Amino acid sequence: MAKIINGKEVSEKIRLRIAEEVKDLAAKGIVPGLAVILVGDDPASQVYVRNKKRACEQAGIYSESYELPGNTSQEELLALIDKLNNDPKINGILAQLPLPSHIDEETVINRISPDKDVDAFHPVNVGKIMIGNYDFLPCTPAGVMALLAESGVDCAGKECVVVGRSNIVGKPQAMLLLHNHGTVTICHSRTKNLAEVTRRADILIAAVGKPDFITAEMVKPGAVVIDVGINRKADGKLTGDVDFASVEPVASYITPVPGGVGPMTITMLLQNTLKSAKKANNIS
């Protein structure tokens, strides 16, 4: 049976470290600040925003929440971002995705200052990740790497397979594994003989957005399996991209859903906000 990687425990451990650093900064008169923008009334996004606000409070990070109506124009949203870009109290700006269809996400992401882009979606930060000289990492891939590190899993020389090629998870995840000396394969909807590829993986990361997609016959015995997916079934229960019941007996380590990668995402957001505040004040 696989060892369960408890994201909640790892997350709490890292958040305690962040809170201590925030406290030290506060003693110098510096309080990291995060602004979260939500446009519309998407229920899942509202939950994420509430969770981010609560996490900031617990870590001692100042936060501002802008909950705008769904008919907010792109020009109004860009004007708010411009204001926050120039606000010294704010070190991180996050526009909660998805945005309403009349707003162009790329334009919005590009408008956020790279120095305050704590989601690491701006092309400048994406480019920095590519060359390995980055300030911020996208929160979910960074959370995965923290889980591997805290579990004592070394990527060096390992066959790493990422299933999914999104800009938010799949692509940056592959780069982070590569920076940690993994041998990386990215799989997607057009990959031929997918199960043959995934069975080569010493570390298998599922980020495809399909419930229970990865089954036991797709997993090499003893592999480390990280499930990034969060899907809601018809009965309302949450499940990941991995069929946990069949894969757990095969893997050496596995993350559950919920309670695996999920808690790490907001933790990495706090870490990026802290890093931005330190950078703005020339603190290494």
Side-chain angles (χ1 to χ4, degrees), residues 5 144 147-148 203-207 224-229 242 253-255 261:
I5 300 177
V144 168
L147 284 179
L148 291 172
I203 299 171
L204 177 60
I205 298 176
V224 176
V225 180
I226 307 291
D227 191 349
V228 178
V242 175
Y253 288 85
I254 191 170
T255 58
V261 175

Side-chain angles (χ1 to χ4, degrees), residues 8 19-20 62 120 156 178 188 200 221 226 237:
K8 198 162 181 287
E20 282 300 312
Y62 169 74
L178 190 61
H188 45 79
R200 295 203 309 259
I226 307 291
K237 287 185 180 176

